[in-house]
Every structure is written in structure tokens, then in C-alpha cells.
Amino acid sequence: MPSVFILDEKAWAGSKLLYKWQKALGNFIAVAGQDNSVKIFDRHGHKWTELSLPGRCVGMDWDKDGDILAVIAAKSSSIFLWDASVNKTSQIDSGMRDPMSFILWSKTGPLLAVGTVKGNLLIYNQQTSRKIPLLGKHIKRITCGCWSTQNLLALGSDDHTLSISNHEGDTIRQIGLHGEPTEIYFSVMKTDERSAQGENTVSVSVDNKRLILLQVNDPENRIELAFQNHYGHIVSYRWYGDGYILIGFSNGFFVVISTHIREIGQELYQAHNHKDSLTSVAISAALSKAASCGDNSIKIHELSELKDISNVVHLDDETKGLDQLSWTDDGQLLAVSTQKGTLHVFLTKLPILGDSFGTRLAYLTSLLEVTVSNQVEGERPVTIGVEVEPTFIAMGPYHVAVGMNNRAWFYALVDQEPGFNKLKDIEYLGTIASMCLNTDYAAALFEGKVQLHMIEGKDQEERKQMKLFPDDDRKGRILCHALTADFLYYSTDSGNVVCVLVEDWDTVSSYSHSVGVRKVFPDLNGTRLVFIDDKNAGFLLSPANATESCIELPDFSPTITGVLWDNWHADRGVFVAYDDDKVYTYALHKTTIYGPQVELVGSTPLLFSQKPLLLYNGELTCQTTSGKTSEVALSTHSFLKNSTRTAADSPAELSKQLAQALKLKRFYEAMDMCKSAGSITDWAELGKACLIHMEVELAIQVYRMSGNVGMVLSLQGIQGIEDIHLRAGHLAMFLGDYNLAQDLYLSSSCPIAALEMRRDLLNWDSALMLAKRLAEDQISFISKEYAVHLEFIGDYVNALAHYEKGMTHNNKFQEHDEACQAGIARMSIRMGDIRRGAAQAIQHPSRILKKECGAILESMKQFSEAAQLYEKGQYYDKAASVYIRCKNWAKVGELLPHVSSPKIHLQYAKAKEADGKYKEAAQAYESAKDWDNVIRVQLDHLKNPEDAVRIVRETQSIDGAKMVARFFLWLNDYGSAIHFLVLSQCNDEAFQLAQQHGQMEVYADIIGPEATQEDYQSIALYFEGEKKHLQAGKFFQKCGQYSRALKHFLKCPNTEDNLAVEMAIETVGQAKDSSLTNQLIDYLMGESDGIPKDAKYLFRLYMALQQYREAARTAIIIAREEQCAGNYRNAHDVLFSMYTELQAQKIKIPAEMATNLMILHSYLLVKIHVKRGDHLKGARMLIRVSNNISKFPAHVVPILTSAVIECHRAGLKNSAFSFAAMLMRPEYRNEIDTKYRKKIEAMVRRPDTSELEEETTPCPFCGFQLPQNELLCISCKNNLPYCIATGRHMLKEDWSVCPHCEFPALYSQFILLLETETVCPMCSETLSAKQVKKISDCSTYLQADELDQ
């Protein structure tokens, strides 16, 4: 809180001062000390005048307007009056004999009350000079008093009474107080009912201990308030607000109470403001502040929030302490007197005066001090002391002007100390309302005119360089003006906003508004300005650009008092409008798809009594009442503070900041926000804003980052377009604002784009209207598209009209015309003109059209026409179904060959059956694949079971089979009936039928493998009853009842084929039950009936039981029997089958079996080789057989005879001789065939022992050379595998096997053999030379042989 001045007169030293501020204006302060004078100072501390008095001043008071100061002095009965306006002193004789003690002016009139030490009163009317002396008002000194607003006078006296008198001095009330009154005030006490009586309460402090509240009309009903002792005594108290009282206590306590009847006695606030003592309290209603002083400090509280101490001032020099506090009425100055006789005056509220130009500010920092600063540029502040307290300040680029009334002082800002030069002061022709400066000129507004003149120039030049606006009084009064670097703007009460070029003082442009314009605010360059009219509406005007008309500002508050443009180089389109409470941020967008726009971005609250001076990049510099500036960050620019984003920002906060950035066109900041934490929605908003502001390149970047490929491609497509309307049209279309897009397209160089857009949007009516204006050749095509749309929504009348309009009758567009004709055909039918429509459809080449028209006719129940169209379109199924609906069977019959739908065939078949045409019905049913009905007609009507049976067999139809079964039953053909019952899965009926008619064998055959166990059991039981053991056994076996099956098989009589025994063996094999096995073995051995059965059955039993070793032994026995009987092939086959079985089961082959098989095989090879004429091989095999002749007892002689003959033929004379000699034994000799007997005898008589040497080949195991037919290696003692083609031992390098039985053969010999033979000599399977493959590696076969051995 700055000190304005200190008064420290020698004459006052050591005494308390009495002082009073001039009421209302506060321009003067009157001070009296202990000397006989009153000194009057102005508000800057300059002594103005001095009143000399006959004695010490005991009282003084200013009248309500502050014009006259009344003073009374000790030892004098005169009243001294000083007139401030003329600086004159006058003196009035009171006519009282005793000294004066009290003086007080009325609050409302020119009445002065003067009290004396003896209790007398004088009321003096300053206007009429009338004096009313009232003797004996009190009986002792009048010490205090107060006037009410109703001109009642309350007085307190040392006689412990309080009197209330009217303005004539008549006593209305006299009240006893039981103590000395010190301070009296009139006020309004808070009650529940609002009284209309005005100031109805008198408060008085009694003995400085108690506070008494009296109702004027009911003084008996008083309220006495006493306070805590430790507070000390009451020093002073003041009423404020709505019935609150502030009380200061001597011990430094500061207390607030309420006089509301409910709250009386309660302290609302209490603070120990001063440590030792409190000497005075004061309240400023203008500032809403309270002050207290004590010790050596002053504390200032906010009345709205008493806890807030807005200022503390320490006066360290005042060791004796402070005395009285007093505020000027306007609250600007606070005076404090001290105990030692000095007076301090502080500035508590400065007039808010300031101005800015660019980023430079000038503002009042004290009553006579102006500070110039430029924080943005970082310049050092310059403080200018001014001569008078200014009422306006004007700032220019290089000058400051301050002034009051009609006078202005100009200062130039310079670089040298102290930073300014005083240039001059100028007097104008009237009181200056406002002033503006630019580089060279000053413009002052006074009395509805603006004077423009040079700031620096010689006097005579200056007169030339001065002009008054407006030239003509009829042009109206100027209400406000503004000056930019190049232009002077002013506005008039008639609504003209005029722009003057300063250089040549010519009017550049003038805009006429409908009502008077109060204020204008141009931007820095002067290219745009905001003005406020008499209706408190705001507008933005671009005087330079006539195309941009005046834009009204949206949501413009009527309380707005000023506008500031942003001085930041990049934000030239942003400005704020402000009132006392809020700052509203606006942004001007020059180029948007909607044209120039002004948008309200948001509002920021302002602190109490702050005036915005400068806006720079979202930071508002405001001037405060304390003579300082404060920075306010606009809430609409909060995204700038958070340029360093944190993850803590909530998505909602981010979206809000993004919206602000977009409204302010801060796209790069917005993009940074989106990159750091933007959602998909945020990116979309950014992209949309770029499109609205026609920032195509930026939009491409945004959509690319957010992954919207379609939009990127679309925007790249319009990048090169320079026509701004066309480009804006495309962007509006991308944003979905099609009407705007159309308007923009139409105003562009390519209006046809509007038509293309409407066509793409399927807005056909709009497209047609545009086509009439822009492209008549397109009308036909659009009409056709529109007709399609109308047809779809069911507006057939208009669709027909548009199809007709769509016809071009041009061969180039044949397809289009055909589509129109098709539409006409459809619509004609829809409209009821069936003949025309059908004719059109028939002529038209399209099949589909015929189908569509047919469907429409069918839905209209026009069946015959519909069917005709279907038939013409070759939709035979549809045609037939419609013909059926109109019962035209003849037509249906014609179409049937073309019809594929079974449904139609079925309908036709039913119709034909109803007409009794069964053959056609059967055919139709067959075409419809309704087999059951075909079978039914064939059986019931055509009596044709063959076809019925054929169909049942082909289709496996169950119902059909039942029908056929019934038919055969009717014919008593039970076998067939049973057969078809089984086919129809009626097994129970078939069984019963078989049972009734003895056809169980038929049933059993038919049921076959599909039957269930129950079915088999029931059949078995039937045969059991019929004593048919074989069948009973067979079915018991099938249903798994093996013991019963075996029982029945063994009961069967022995027949040739012995089927029952075979079945019994199979049963025991399946049963795997040892008791059943033993039972069967007993039977086969003849234990039960004494007749042993053939050994082959035992062999089969062992095989069925998988008892292969027993089977092998049995097989050898059987083979031996067969061999003895001479059945060599049978014996060979038994051994071979057993050999392969054992091999498969990986069981070692018995040596006897292998040897027997080899000898039998050698015997069988003899025939093959002899037949082929290969006598040597035949002879060699016969030698092997003859060496084992005991194995062939039935044919000893024939075999030996053959051996003699073959050996002789092959040149093996010695062998022939030895066998011939054997034949000559007496037991064989007589059995020799007579043909050969003589020859053999001759051989024996004349022996020829020459023998063909047998070739040797290597052993396949050890390689030792052996005779070809030797099967035992004398070197490695291995039995050698033999060739099934020759009987020789195998060779490693000539190895092959039979692919069927896998017995080895010499490849070369096997191939030779298969030239004449077609079967394998071992297994008798059919074989060709191609199937035999030579095996290069035979080691696996040799290993297997070794294992066997």
C-alpha cells in the first residue's frame, strides 16, 4: 500500500491531531493540532490554506457535498466556515455565551448542529442563514451526536442522557443511559420484517463498555450488549452492510457482530489484530474494506471475507503508536494520525487508468505517477511523474499522453535516463473524453468532435497539421474513436463507422449501421475492427474488404465494456471482449467453407476490479486498483500451458483442450496433443476442423496418421484445385453438408460438380432441377435413375412419367432405352394398362423383363397373361404353375417336357389321376420322383407289379415295398410278400407270414445279414420246433448260442457233403469253449457213435481253433493217407496250405512236412517237364522221387518205369540201369507194363553205365560248388532252398519268388517255364512272366531259411 505523503508540522509535535477529509470529493484534508490553526492540504500533500483561530480547534466537519468546512475553537462562540470552491473564510456568531464543544453537518441538508459545554444547542441553516438556539437541551457538555437520513439529530451528553430531536430542534425522545455516551450512530437494525421507516435504530457506546441499541419509536425496548473483559474497552465501532457492526477494543481485538434479532449476542468474527492496543477502526463502503490501527501497524480486511487481510502496513518510526484512521468517501486514500502528531496518507485504491499500444503498456501506479512497461519485449519499466492527477492516459509507439479536463501533457519515450522527455502540454477546445496516439499523430475526442494533430511539430506547422472531424455538424456527434498506424476510426451517434487515412486525411471508407455506435476497437493493422452499438450488440467489420459484410459477434454479452486484440504475431484473428466479471475469447476465421466466421471460444472469470490492458498469446495483462499489473491466463488457451503433456491428463480434459485449440486454429498444437494421447474421436475432430478451415495439406497429414485411407485419397484428388469455391464445395461434401456443397459448386467455375454430387447421392429431384440448368443432355439418364428410385418406393405414376422422359430414341444409347421401355412396361401393368404393358414386355428382347411383368401380373391375379409372359420368357416352370392355377391342363401338358420342377409334375399327376388317366399320372409321378405314388398307381390302377417291383428295388422305398408286399399277399405269393415285407423293414409281419405259411427258409434267406440277434433266435427256435437241425444250428450259431448250435449240428444225419460237420467245426472255432471242443473231438474220433470221421475234419477243427501244431501233425497224417491212396495233388495241397498257414503264424515248419512237400512237388514237376519235352529235368526229378519210392506205395512200378525211360532218354544210362535192376525184383517184375518189359530186361542184361555228369553251382549260403539238384550243402550243412520251377537248389544271383505264395524260383528257369505254363507250379495261382521280378538282394530270404532250420 503506497504512501502518498506524510504531514509532519512542528507545531503539531507531541499532540494528537484532529482531521477531516473533504466529503464526496476527498480532494482536501483539514488538520488541526494543538496550535490555534486549521491547515488545509490537497490530496497530494500540498498545503492549500491555513485558518487562524482564536483558540485551539475543538471540532470541525465538512458539509455533505464537501463544499464548506465548519470549524469551532476553544474560548470562542463563533463558527468559522471555509468555502473550498472559492478558498474564502467567513465567520458566524452563534449567539451562545458558553464555549462550543460539538459540531456536525446534516447528512442530507444544509443544516449545521453546534453543541456547547453547558448542553445548549444551535441549529444553523446555511442556505437561509437561520439560527435556532435551543437552550438546556442537556444539562452538561454535549460530547457526541449523529444526524439520521430523515434529519433526526441524536445527541449524547456528559449528563448520561441521549436526546433525539427533529431538524427544528424539538426533542422527540430523551433517554437515560447510566453512563457516559461516546459514539452515536443511526442505522437500520436487521429484523425479520423489512421496515420502511428508514434508519430506525440508534446505537450508542456507554462508558466504552457497553453497546446499547435503541428503537427510535420504542426506546424502552432497548438491547444492551456487553463484551468479554479481556477485550478491553470499546475504542470505536462502525455499522456496515446489512445490519452488521464492527467494534475495535483497546486490547487489540477486532470483533464483528450482527444486529439481526436471531443473531444478536453472537460474534460472527473475532481477531486479535494488534498485540498491545487498538486505537481506531474505519470502514470504506466503496472498497468493501475495513481497517484497524494499533501499536504501529494498520491491518486492512475484506468485508466480504473478513479472514482475508488484504494489506498490513508497519510504521516502524511511530514508536508512540497510532491514533485515528479515516478514509476518503471514494476509498482511494486512507489517513492515519499518530500519537506524536504526524499524519500519514496511504493510497488504498487507485483510479484504474491505463492504455496499451502493441505490447507496450502505460498505467497509473500512483496518483501522480505513470509507469510505462513492455514485458513481452523485456524492456525496463519507465516511471513518469506527472503534474496533475490524470483522468486519461494515452499510449503510442513512442509517446505517452496524460491529461485531465481540456488539457493534455505529452512525453516522448527515449533511451537515455530517465527514459522520457516532457514534450509539451496542449489545451483543447473542450473536456477530453478520450485520446489515442500513433507514431506521429494524436487524436483527442471532446464534445462530439475528434481533433487530429501532429505530436511533435513547431507551433505554426502544428496549426496547419491539425484537423477537426467531422467536417460537417450534420454528420452527427462522434461517440468514440481509435487510431492505428495508418488509419483514424471514429463512430457517430447516427451509426456511421468512418475510416480516415491519416497521411492525407481523406475518408477511405464509411459503414452505416442501423443504430448509433458507442465504441470501436481496430486491430493493430487497422484492417478489421470490432464495434459495439447502442443496443450493446458487438460486430466485426473489415473496412478494407467490402465483400466481407459486417459479422455479428455470437453470444455477445450486453455488459461488455471493451475489446482487446491479441498482439501475438500468429494470432492476429483472436480478440477478447471483457466486462467487470469475465473475459470472452473470440476467434475470427477468414477462410472456412462457410465463409468468414467469428466464433466464441470460451470465457475466463476476472478478479474483482481488474481492467484488461493487453492480450498476448492467451495471456491477459490486467491493471489492478493497487497500481500494479497482474497476468491472467485465459482458460481458452489452457492447452498452451500443457504443451508438455503428461499421461495424467484425463481424456475429457484432453478433448476440451483440443476443442479450444481447434477453435483458435492452433492446428499444430492440436496435432501434438493427438499424437501424445489422442483418441480416434480426437483425430476425427482435428481432421474435420482442417477440412472446415480448408487446410487440405494438413488434413491429409491428419487422416494419414489416423489411418483414414479413403479420406487421404479423396483429399489428394482435390489438392491441385485453385478455384476456392470448388475446393470448398468438395470439402463441404466430404463433411456431409451437401446443400452448402451445392451452393459452393454452383458459385464455382465448375457448376456441373453439383449435379454429379446429387446424382451420386441419389437425390434425383435435385439432380433433375440442376440438369435443366446445367446439362440438358443428362436429363434422360437422370429421369431413368429417378424412375428406378420411384418404382422402388412405389410411386408408379411418377415412375412411368420419368421412364417415358428417359427415352433418348438414339441408337447409341440402345441399352438405356431398353431399360426405359422395360420400366414403361412394368409401370403400365402396375397402373392397370395391362394390354400395353404386356405388349411392350413381349416385344422387348429381355427374358428377365417377361419374368418381372409375369410376376406383377401374377400378383394382380391376371393368371393367363402372366403365364403367357412366363412362357414367352421360357420360364416354363413358372408358366406351368400359373397355368395350373387357372386349371389349363392342356397347356400344362404341352409344357411338361420343359418343366424341371417336381412340384408341377406332382400337381399334374394328381390332376391326371383324378381324371382317370393313370398311365400319364404314373409317368408324371415318376417325373416328380414321387415313387410311392408311382408304385400305388402301378399296383392299384394299372395292375403292373413288374414296374412296381423294379421301382421298389431301384429306390428302396419302404412304403412302396409295403404296398408291393400287400399286392403279393393278395396274389397268395407268400415268398414275394415276405421278401417285400423285409424290404419295408416290417420284419415282425414277415416272420409271422413265414411262420403261418411255412416259408421260414425264404424268410431266413431274405433277412440275411441285416437281421438282429432276436430275429436269428426266433428263426432258430422255429426250426428247432420243426426238427430241422441244420437250419436250427445255423441260426443258433448266428445269435451266439454255440452249445445249442453244436447240439443241433451233431444231431444231423451224415450226408455226402457233411455240411453239418463243417458248421460244427466253425461253431466250436467261434465259441473258443474247451468243453464244446472236446465234445466235437469225441464225435470226430467216433467216441460217441463208434464211427471215426474223416481226418480232414479234425484238421479243420484244429485250424478253426488256431491250434496250428496239432493241425500240422494232422495235416501230415492226412497227406500220408492221400499219398498212400495215390492222391498226390491232394496231399501236396494239404501240405502246402498247412505250410503257408504256419509261416503266416510264424511257427517253425516241421522238417518232415518240408521234406514231404519237396518230394511231392518234385513228383508234380516231372509231368510238367516231360510234357514240355525237357527230359533231362524230368529225369532228374524222377531220380529224386525214385530215391524216395517208399512214399508212393500205390504207384511204385509206374514211377520206376517212367524213371528208367526218362533217364534213358536223357542219357543217364547208369541211373536207368539201377532203376531197371530195381524193377527186376520179383515183387515188381510181373507188374511192369508189357510195352516196356522187354526193353527194361535188355537194359539189365546189357548194362550201359555211362552217365551224363551233373552240373555244379554254388551254395547260396557258403558258395561251395554243389550238384544242381543237391539240396543239402556238405560244406555248411544247411538245407538249401529249392526252385519251384526246376527242383534245383537256389542261386543268389538268379533269385525270384512267386508273388502269390512267395516260394523261391530261379528267375531264368521260372520265366522259361511260364512261356508254356499259366499257373505257379507250387500254389496253382494264375501267373504270367511279367509279374515275376528278379531279386538282386536275397539275404532276407536266406535269413528266414536259416531261422527255420
Side-chain angles (χ1 to χ4, degrees), residues 806-861:
M807 295 291 291
T808 60
H809 306 294
N810 182 340
N811 288 342
K812 257 171 47 186
F813 305 118
Q814 186 180 351
E815 201 175 314
H816 166 83
D817 280 3
E818 281 178 4
C820 290
Q821 283 164 350
I824 292 167
R826 285 195 302 276
M827 292 308 99
S828 300
I829 293 171
R830 293 265 191 211
M831 301 298 300
D833 191 348
I834 292 169
R835 186 173 299 166
R836 176 191 179 191
Q840 288 258 22
I842 287 167
Q843 285 168 14
H844 200 282
S846 164
R847 277 182 69 210
I848 292 164
L849 174 65
K850 296 181 178 68
K851 182 182 180 182
E852 288 169 351
C853 292
I856 296 167
L857 286 165
E858 193 179 345
S859 68
M860 293 165 71
K861 306 265 191 296

Side-chain angles (χ1 to χ4, degrees), residues 920-1062:
E920 289 170 31
Q923 280 173 350
Y925 277 131
E926 201 161 341
S927 300
K929 297 192 170 44
D930 187 347
W931 306 114
D932 295 351
N933 275 321
V934 181
I935 294 163
R936 183 178 56 74
V937 173
Q938 292 285 11
L939 295 174
D940 294 359
H941 300 298
L942 298 173
K943 299 287 183 283
N944 184 354
E946 290 83 0
D947 280 356
V949 167
R950 172 182 60 80
I951 290 164
V952 169
R953 288 194 195 285
E954 282 171 9
T955 63
Q956 297 290 308
S957 163
I958 291 171
D959 292 344
K962 275 186 193 168
M963 285 189 270
V964 174
R966 279 200 293 275
F967 183 77
F968 282 122
L969 205 53
W970 178 68
L971 290 178
N972 297 332
D973 181 349
Y974 302 117
S976 302
I978 289 167
H979 182 86
F980 284 99
L981 279 171
V982 171
L983 260 188
S984 66
Q985 296 174 4
C986 299
N987 290 2
D988 294 349
E989 291 93 322
F991 181 76
Q992 284 162 13
L993 194 66
Q995 218 171 354
Q996 284 165 16
H997 300 285
Q999 298 281 335
M1000 195 55 78
E1001 284 90 344
V1002 177
Y1003 174 64
D1005 286 347
I1006 292 163
I1007 198 163
E1010 282 93 44
T1012 61
Q1013 297 287 334
E1014 290 81 17
D1015 290 339
Y1016 289 137
Q1017 191 172 352
S1018 50
I1019 296 170
L1021 289 169
Y1022 171 80
F1023 284 128
E1024 191 177 33
E1026 295 287 315
K1027 299 276 190 294
K1028 294 185 174 172
H1029 297 299
L1030 184 63
Q1031 280 98 323
K1034 192 159 99 183
F1035 285 99
F1036 276 129
Q1037 181 197 354
K1038 279 188 177 172
C1039 68
Q1041 297 187 16
Y1042 300 119
S1043 61
R1044 291 178 79 173
L1046 183 63
K1047 189 175 82 182
H1048 283 288
F1049 287 137
L1050 298 183
K1051 278 183 186 171
C1052 287
N1054 289 336
T1055 53
E1056 288 296 312
D1057 56 359
N1058 269 327
L1059 183 60
V1061 180
E1062 302 267 352

Side-chain angles (χ1 to χ4, degrees), residues 384-455:
I384 301 172
V386 294
E387 292 168 23
V388 296
E389 198 176 315
T391 54
F392 68 82
I393 295 178
M395 183 81 226
Y398 310 113
H399 304 91
V400 182
V402 298
M404 65 177 292
N405 297 339
N406 64 338
R407 198 155 169 211
W409 285 260
F410 290 88
Y411 299 87
L413 301 172
V414 293
D415 291 337
Q416 305 84 23
E417 287 294 329
F420 66 92
N421 287 336
K422 183 181 172 189
L423 289 178
K424 57 185 173 187
D425 60 310
I426 296 178
E427 284 195 22
Y428 293 88
L429 303 172
T431 303
I432 299 166
S434 65
M435 180 177 269
C436 305
L437 308 181
N438 69 8
T439 315
D440 301 313
Y441 288 89
L445 169 65
F446 53 85
E447 293 172 5
K449 292 189 179 303
V450 168
Q451 180 177 335
L452 181 68
H453 63 86
M454 295 281 279
I455 298 171

Side-chain angles (χ1 to χ4, degrees), residues 49 85 150 186 211 422 458 613 630 717 807 826 1063 1090 1114 1128 1145 1231 1255 1298 1321:
T49 187
S85 53
Q150 284 84 26
F186 276 98
L211 193 62
K422 183 181 172 189
K458 303 288 181 288
L613 282 182
S630 69
M807 295 291 291
R826 285 195 302 276
M1063 294 290 285
T1114 315
Y1128 305 121
Q1145 297 302 326
E1231 290 175 34
E1255 279 182 52
C1298 163

